[in-house]
Short mmCIF file of all heavy atoms in Angstrom, two decimals:
data_model
loop_
_atom_site.label_atom_id
_atom_site.label_comp_id
_atom_site.label_asym_id
_atom_site.label_seq_id
_atom_site.Cartn_x
_atom_site.Cartn_y
_atom_site.Cartn_z
N ARG A 1 -105.45 -33.20 26.42
CA ARG A 1 -104.22 -32.51 26.06
C ARG A 1 -104.47 -31.13 25.44
O ARG A 1 -103.77 -30.16 25.69
CB ARG A 1 -103.39 -33.37 25.10
CG ARG A 1 -102.80 -34.60 25.75
CD ARG A 1 -102.00 -35.42 24.81
NE ARG A 1 -101.49 -36.61 25.46
CZ ARG A 1 -101.26 -37.75 24.88
NH1 ARG A 1 -101.53 -37.91 23.58
NH2 ARG A 1 -100.80 -38.78 25.56
N GLU A 2 -105.53 -31.11 24.61
CA GLU A 2 -105.92 -29.85 23.96
C GLU A 2 -106.38 -28.83 25.02
O GLU A 2 -106.02 -27.64 24.97
CB GLU A 2 -107.03 -30.09 22.97
CG GLU A 2 -107.48 -28.87 22.22
CD GLU A 2 -108.62 -29.17 21.24
OE1 GLU A 2 -108.77 -30.34 20.86
OE2 GLU A 2 -109.29 -28.23 20.84
N VAL A 3 -107.15 -29.27 26.00
CA VAL A 3 -107.63 -28.39 27.07
C VAL A 3 -106.48 -27.84 27.87
O VAL A 3 -106.42 -26.67 28.20
CB VAL A 3 -108.65 -29.15 27.97
CG1 VAL A 3 -108.92 -28.37 29.23
CG2 VAL A 3 -109.93 -29.44 27.21
N VAL A 4 -105.54 -28.69 28.21
CA VAL A 4 -104.36 -28.26 29.00
C VAL A 4 -103.53 -27.27 28.20
O VAL A 4 -103.10 -26.24 28.71
CB VAL A 4 -103.51 -29.48 29.44
CG1 VAL A 4 -102.17 -29.02 29.98
CG2 VAL A 4 -104.24 -30.35 30.41
N ALA A 5 -103.35 -27.53 26.91
CA ALA A 5 -102.56 -26.61 26.05
C ALA A 5 -103.22 -25.26 25.88
O ALA A 5 -102.56 -24.23 25.96
CB ALA A 5 -102.30 -27.27 24.69
N LYS A 6 -104.53 -25.27 25.65
CA LYS A 6 -105.29 -24.02 25.39
C LYS A 6 -105.69 -23.30 26.67
O LYS A 6 -105.86 -22.10 26.69
CB LYS A 6 -106.54 -24.28 24.58
CG LYS A 6 -106.28 -24.65 23.15
CD LYS A 6 -107.61 -24.80 22.44
CE LYS A 6 -107.46 -25.01 20.95
NZ LYS A 6 -108.74 -25.17 20.27
N GLY A 7 -105.94 -24.10 27.74
CA GLY A 7 -106.42 -23.51 28.98
C GLY A 7 -107.89 -23.19 28.92
O GLY A 7 -108.39 -22.41 29.77
N SER A 8 -108.60 -23.69 27.92
CA SER A 8 -110.04 -23.41 27.80
C SER A 8 -110.81 -24.70 27.57
O SER A 8 -110.26 -25.67 27.07
CB SER A 8 -110.30 -22.38 26.68
OG SER A 8 -109.86 -22.93 25.49
N PRO A 9 -112.11 -24.68 27.89
CA PRO A 9 -112.90 -25.93 27.73
C PRO A 9 -113.06 -26.33 26.29
O PRO A 9 -112.99 -25.50 25.38
CB PRO A 9 -114.27 -25.53 28.29
CG PRO A 9 -114.11 -24.25 28.94
CD PRO A 9 -112.89 -23.61 28.45
N VAL A 10 -113.29 -27.64 26.07
CA VAL A 10 -113.56 -28.18 24.76
C VAL A 10 -114.90 -28.91 24.85
O VAL A 10 -115.12 -29.68 25.79
CB VAL A 10 -112.46 -29.16 24.28
CG1 VAL A 10 -112.89 -29.87 23.00
CG2 VAL A 10 -111.17 -28.40 24.05
N TYR A 11 -115.79 -28.62 23.90
CA TYR A 11 -117.12 -29.24 23.87
C TYR A 11 -117.12 -30.34 22.82
O TYR A 11 -116.85 -30.07 21.65
CB TYR A 11 -118.17 -28.19 23.51
CG TYR A 11 -118.29 -27.07 24.52
CD1 TYR A 11 -117.33 -26.07 24.63
CD2 TYR A 11 -119.34 -27.06 25.42
CE1 TYR A 11 -117.42 -25.08 25.55
CE2 TYR A 11 -119.46 -26.05 26.37
CZ TYR A 11 -118.53 -25.06 26.43
OH TYR A 11 -118.60 -24.08 27.37
N LEU A 12 -117.40 -31.55 23.24
CA LEU A 12 -117.46 -32.68 22.32
C LEU A 12 -118.88 -32.79 21.70
O LEU A 12 -119.81 -32.23 22.22
CB LEU A 12 -117.12 -33.99 23.06
CG LEU A 12 -115.72 -34.03 23.68
CD1 LEU A 12 -115.55 -35.37 24.45
CD2 LEU A 12 -114.65 -33.91 22.63
N ASP A 13 -118.93 -33.48 20.59
CA ASP A 13 -120.23 -33.72 19.95
C ASP A 13 -121.20 -34.47 20.86
O ASP A 13 -120.74 -35.23 21.75
CB ASP A 13 -120.08 -34.47 18.63
CG ASP A 13 -119.33 -33.65 17.58
OD1 ASP A 13 -119.38 -32.42 17.64
OD2 ASP A 13 -118.72 -34.28 16.70
N ALA A 14 -122.48 -34.37 20.59
CA ALA A 14 -123.48 -35.12 21.34
C ALA A 14 -123.25 -36.61 21.15
O ALA A 14 -122.84 -37.05 20.07
CB ALA A 14 -124.89 -34.74 20.88
N MET A 15 -123.50 -37.37 22.23
CA MET A 15 -123.32 -38.83 22.16
C MET A 15 -124.23 -39.47 23.18
O MET A 15 -124.62 -38.83 24.17
CB MET A 15 -121.82 -39.20 22.37
CG MET A 15 -121.22 -38.76 23.63
SD MET A 15 -119.46 -39.15 23.77
CE MET A 15 -118.70 -37.91 22.74
N PRO A 16 -124.50 -40.76 22.99
CA PRO A 16 -125.35 -41.48 23.96
C PRO A 16 -124.67 -41.59 25.32
O PRO A 16 -123.45 -41.46 25.44
CB PRO A 16 -125.51 -42.85 23.34
CG PRO A 16 -124.97 -42.78 21.96
CD PRO A 16 -124.10 -41.59 21.87
N ALA A 17 -125.48 -41.87 26.34
CA ALA A 17 -124.98 -41.91 27.71
C ALA A 17 -123.83 -42.91 27.86
O ALA A 17 -122.82 -42.60 28.56
CB ALA A 17 -126.12 -42.30 28.66
N PHE A 18 -123.92 -44.12 27.28
CA PHE A 18 -122.87 -45.08 27.46
C PHE A 18 -121.55 -44.64 26.85
O PHE A 18 -120.49 -45.07 27.27
CB PHE A 18 -123.30 -46.48 26.97
CG PHE A 18 -123.71 -46.55 25.53
CD1 PHE A 18 -122.78 -46.81 24.54
CD2 PHE A 18 -125.02 -46.39 25.18
CE1 PHE A 18 -123.19 -46.89 23.21
CE2 PHE A 18 -125.43 -46.47 23.85
CZ PHE A 18 -124.53 -46.71 22.90
N GLU A 19 -121.60 -43.78 25.82
CA GLU A 19 -120.36 -43.24 25.23
C GLU A 19 -119.81 -42.09 26.10
O GLU A 19 -118.59 -41.97 26.31
CB GLU A 19 -120.58 -42.80 23.79
CG GLU A 19 -120.83 -43.96 22.84
CD GLU A 19 -120.88 -43.55 21.42
OE1 GLU A 19 -120.83 -42.32 21.10
OE2 GLU A 19 -120.96 -44.45 20.54
N ARG A 20 -120.72 -41.24 26.61
CA ARG A 20 -120.25 -40.17 27.51
C ARG A 20 -119.57 -40.74 28.72
O ARG A 20 -118.57 -40.23 29.21
CB ARG A 20 -121.45 -39.28 27.93
CG ARG A 20 -122.04 -38.44 26.83
CD ARG A 20 -122.97 -37.38 27.34
NE ARG A 20 -123.94 -37.84 28.30
CZ ARG A 20 -125.14 -38.36 27.99
NH1 ARG A 20 -125.51 -38.47 26.73
NH2 ARG A 20 -125.96 -38.77 28.93
N LYS A 21 -120.13 -41.85 29.21
CA LYS A 21 -119.57 -42.52 30.37
C LYS A 21 -118.09 -42.93 30.15
O LYS A 21 -117.25 -42.81 31.07
CB LYS A 21 -120.39 -43.76 30.74
CG LYS A 21 -120.00 -44.43 32.00
CD LYS A 21 -120.93 -45.60 32.32
CE LYS A 21 -120.51 -46.30 33.58
NZ LYS A 21 -121.44 -47.41 33.90
N VAL A 22 -117.76 -43.37 28.97
CA VAL A 22 -116.35 -43.73 28.64
C VAL A 22 -115.46 -42.55 28.77
O VAL A 22 -114.37 -42.63 29.34
CB VAL A 22 -116.27 -44.38 27.24
CG1 VAL A 22 -114.82 -44.61 26.81
CG2 VAL A 22 -117.06 -45.66 27.14
N ILE A 23 -115.90 -41.38 28.24
CA ILE A 23 -115.10 -40.14 28.36
C ILE A 23 -114.88 -39.79 29.82
O ILE A 23 -113.73 -39.52 30.25
CB ILE A 23 -115.81 -38.99 27.60
CG1 ILE A 23 -116.03 -39.31 26.15
CG2 ILE A 23 -114.99 -37.69 27.77
CD1 ILE A 23 -114.83 -39.41 25.26
N HIS A 24 -115.97 -39.79 30.59
CA HIS A 24 -115.88 -39.44 32.02
C HIS A 24 -114.94 -40.37 32.78
O HIS A 24 -114.08 -39.92 33.54
CB HIS A 24 -117.27 -39.46 32.68
CG HIS A 24 -118.20 -38.38 32.24
ND1 HIS A 24 -117.92 -37.02 32.36
CD2 HIS A 24 -119.43 -38.44 31.67
CE1 HIS A 24 -118.93 -36.32 31.88
NE2 HIS A 24 -119.84 -37.16 31.44
N GLN A 25 -115.09 -41.68 32.56
CA GLN A 25 -114.26 -42.67 33.21
C GLN A 25 -112.80 -42.53 32.83
O GLN A 25 -111.91 -42.72 33.67
CB GLN A 25 -114.77 -44.08 32.93
CG GLN A 25 -116.04 -44.40 33.64
CD GLN A 25 -116.58 -45.78 33.27
OE1 GLN A 25 -116.28 -46.34 32.24
NE2 GLN A 25 -117.38 -46.38 34.20
N THR A 26 -112.52 -42.27 31.58
CA THR A 26 -111.15 -42.16 31.10
C THR A 26 -110.44 -41.01 31.77
O THR A 26 -109.26 -41.08 32.12
CB THR A 26 -111.10 -42.02 29.59
OG1 THR A 26 -111.75 -43.12 29.01
CG2 THR A 26 -109.67 -41.91 29.08
N LEU A 27 -111.13 -39.93 32.03
CA LEU A 27 -110.51 -38.71 32.58
C LEU A 27 -110.79 -38.48 34.04
O LEU A 27 -110.34 -37.44 34.58
CB LEU A 27 -110.96 -37.48 31.75
CG LEU A 27 -110.60 -37.52 30.29
CD1 LEU A 27 -111.19 -36.34 29.54
CD2 LEU A 27 -109.09 -37.59 30.09
N GLN A 28 -111.45 -39.39 34.69
CA GLN A 28 -111.88 -39.15 36.08
C GLN A 28 -110.71 -38.97 37.07
O GLN A 28 -110.88 -38.27 38.10
CB GLN A 28 -112.80 -40.27 36.58
CG GLN A 28 -112.11 -41.60 36.84
CD GLN A 28 -113.13 -42.67 37.23
OE1 GLN A 28 -114.33 -42.38 37.40
NE2 GLN A 28 -112.65 -43.90 37.39
N ASN A 29 -109.58 -39.54 36.82
CA ASN A 29 -108.44 -39.41 37.75
C ASN A 29 -107.44 -38.36 37.31
O ASN A 29 -106.35 -38.29 37.89
CB ASN A 29 -107.77 -40.75 37.94
CG ASN A 29 -108.68 -41.78 38.60
OD1 ASN A 29 -109.44 -41.42 39.48
ND2 ASN A 29 -108.60 -43.02 38.19
N SER A 30 -107.76 -37.57 36.32
CA SER A 30 -106.83 -36.56 35.83
C SER A 30 -106.74 -35.40 36.82
O SER A 30 -107.73 -34.91 37.35
CB SER A 30 -107.29 -36.05 34.48
OG SER A 30 -106.48 -34.96 34.10
N LYS A 31 -105.48 -34.95 37.04
CA LYS A 31 -105.27 -33.79 37.92
C LYS A 31 -105.46 -32.49 37.13
O LYS A 31 -105.63 -31.42 37.73
CB LYS A 31 -103.84 -33.80 38.44
CG LYS A 31 -103.49 -34.99 39.29
CD LYS A 31 -102.01 -34.95 39.68
CE LYS A 31 -101.61 -36.20 40.38
NZ LYS A 31 -100.16 -36.24 40.66
N TYR A 32 -105.49 -32.56 35.81
CA TYR A 32 -105.45 -31.38 34.98
C TYR A 32 -106.76 -30.99 34.31
O TYR A 32 -106.96 -29.85 33.93
CB TYR A 32 -104.38 -31.51 33.92
CG TYR A 32 -103.03 -31.94 34.51
CD1 TYR A 32 -102.56 -33.21 34.40
CD2 TYR A 32 -102.30 -31.04 35.24
CE1 TYR A 32 -101.39 -33.62 35.00
CE2 TYR A 32 -101.11 -31.39 35.84
CZ TYR A 32 -100.64 -32.66 35.70
OH TYR A 32 -99.45 -33.05 36.30
N VAL A 33 -107.66 -31.96 34.18
CA VAL A 33 -108.95 -31.68 33.55
C VAL A 33 -110.11 -32.26 34.33
O VAL A 33 -109.91 -33.23 35.08
CB VAL A 33 -108.99 -32.18 32.08
CG1 VAL A 33 -108.00 -31.46 31.22
CG2 VAL A 33 -108.87 -33.68 31.97
N ALA A 34 -111.26 -31.73 34.12
CA ALA A 34 -112.51 -32.27 34.69
C ALA A 34 -113.52 -32.41 33.54
O ALA A 34 -113.36 -31.79 32.50
CB ALA A 34 -113.05 -31.36 35.74
N THR A 35 -114.53 -33.22 33.75
CA THR A 35 -115.55 -33.41 32.72
C THR A 35 -116.94 -33.16 33.31
O THR A 35 -117.14 -33.35 34.51
CB THR A 35 -115.52 -34.83 32.14
OG1 THR A 35 -115.78 -35.77 33.17
CG2 THR A 35 -114.18 -35.15 31.47
N GLN A 36 -117.84 -32.78 32.44
CA GLN A 36 -119.24 -32.68 32.81
C GLN A 36 -120.08 -32.87 31.59
O GLN A 36 -119.69 -32.54 30.49
CB GLN A 36 -119.56 -31.38 33.52
CG GLN A 36 -119.46 -30.13 32.66
CD GLN A 36 -119.70 -28.87 33.43
OE1 GLN A 36 -119.18 -28.69 34.51
NE2 GLN A 36 -120.48 -27.97 32.87
N SER A 37 -121.29 -33.42 31.81
CA SER A 37 -122.26 -33.54 30.70
C SER A 37 -123.17 -32.38 30.72
O SER A 37 -123.51 -31.84 31.80
CB SER A 37 -123.04 -34.84 30.85
OG SER A 37 -122.24 -35.95 30.56
N SER A 38 -123.62 -31.97 29.56
CA SER A 38 -124.54 -30.82 29.46
C SER A 38 -125.49 -31.10 28.30
O SER A 38 -125.26 -31.96 27.47
CB SER A 38 -123.74 -29.55 29.25
OG SER A 38 -124.59 -28.43 29.29
N GLY A 39 -126.56 -30.30 28.24
CA GLY A 39 -127.54 -30.45 27.18
C GLY A 39 -128.68 -31.36 27.59
O GLY A 39 -128.68 -31.91 28.68
N GLN A 40 -129.62 -31.48 26.70
CA GLN A 40 -130.80 -32.30 26.96
C GLN A 40 -130.83 -33.49 25.98
O GLN A 40 -130.46 -33.33 24.84
CB GLN A 40 -132.06 -31.48 26.78
CG GLN A 40 -132.12 -30.32 27.74
CD GLN A 40 -133.40 -30.26 28.52
OE1 GLN A 40 -134.36 -30.92 28.15
NE2 GLN A 40 -133.42 -29.51 29.59
N TYR A 41 -131.34 -34.63 26.47
CA TYR A 41 -131.43 -35.81 25.64
C TYR A 41 -132.24 -35.47 24.39
O TYR A 41 -133.21 -34.81 24.50
CB TYR A 41 -132.12 -36.91 26.46
CG TYR A 41 -132.38 -38.16 25.66
CD1 TYR A 41 -131.38 -39.08 25.43
CD2 TYR A 41 -133.62 -38.40 25.04
CE1 TYR A 41 -131.59 -40.23 24.68
CE2 TYR A 41 -133.86 -39.54 24.29
CZ TYR A 41 -132.84 -40.43 24.11
OH TYR A 41 -133.08 -41.54 23.36
N PRO A 42 -131.86 -35.89 23.23
CA PRO A 42 -130.74 -36.76 22.84
C PRO A 42 -129.51 -35.98 22.45
O PRO A 42 -128.63 -36.52 21.81
CB PRO A 42 -131.31 -37.51 21.66
CG PRO A 42 -132.18 -36.49 20.95
CD PRO A 42 -132.78 -35.67 22.09
N TYR A 43 -129.44 -34.72 22.84
CA TYR A 43 -128.28 -33.88 22.41
C TYR A 43 -127.34 -33.61 23.59
O TYR A 43 -126.68 -32.54 23.61
CB TYR A 43 -128.82 -32.55 21.81
CG TYR A 43 -129.76 -32.82 20.67
CD1 TYR A 43 -131.13 -32.58 20.81
CD2 TYR A 43 -129.31 -33.29 19.48
CE1 TYR A 43 -132.02 -32.81 19.76
CE2 TYR A 43 -130.20 -33.59 18.43
CZ TYR A 43 -131.51 -33.31 18.56
OH TYR A 43 -132.37 -33.57 17.54
N ARG A 44 -127.24 -34.50 24.53
CA ARG A 44 -126.29 -34.30 25.62
C ARG A 44 -124.84 -34.54 25.12
O ARG A 44 -124.59 -35.38 24.28
CB ARG A 44 -126.59 -35.25 26.79
CG ARG A 44 -127.83 -34.80 27.56
CD ARG A 44 -128.11 -35.53 28.80
NE ARG A 44 -127.12 -35.50 29.84
CZ ARG A 44 -126.95 -34.52 30.71
NH1 ARG A 44 -127.70 -33.44 30.64
NH2 ARG A 44 -126.02 -34.60 31.66
N PHE A 45 -123.96 -33.74 25.64
CA PHE A 45 -122.56 -33.79 25.22
C PHE A 45 -121.66 -33.63 26.42
O PHE A 45 -122.13 -33.27 27.51
CB PHE A 45 -122.29 -32.68 24.18
CG PHE A 45 -122.65 -31.31 24.67
CD1 PHE A 45 -121.67 -30.51 25.28
CD2 PHE A 45 -123.91 -30.77 24.49
CE1 PHE A 45 -122.00 -29.21 25.74
CE2 PHE A 45 -124.25 -29.52 24.93
CZ PHE A 45 -123.30 -28.73 25.57
#
């Protein structure tokens, strides 16, 4: 919702792979936002 309102990307804090997966899965069918992981282990976000 914040991304849609602002029109700019939001960077979440680093989290383990299984937590990032929940974010990706929750938003995977959204027409308005996309997700991607970035950074290097253990600081991927």
Side-chain angles (χ1 to χ4, degrees):
R1 289 180 181 149
E2 182 180 340
V3 168
V4 170
K6 288 183 176 181
S8 60
V10 171
Y11 296 76
L12 298 177
D13 292 334
M15 58 184 77
F18 57 90
E19 290 188 354
R20 291 193 312 272
K21 185 176 179 180
V22 173
I23 303 291
H24 292 301
Q25 287 176 335
T26 302
L27 299 177
Q28 72 183 355
N29 295 323
S30 174
K31 298 176 187 175
Y32 308 106
V33 297
T35 61
Q36 66 183 46
S37 289
S38 188
Q40 299 232 344
Y41 175 82
Y43 305 107
R44 286 187 62 79
F45 56 93

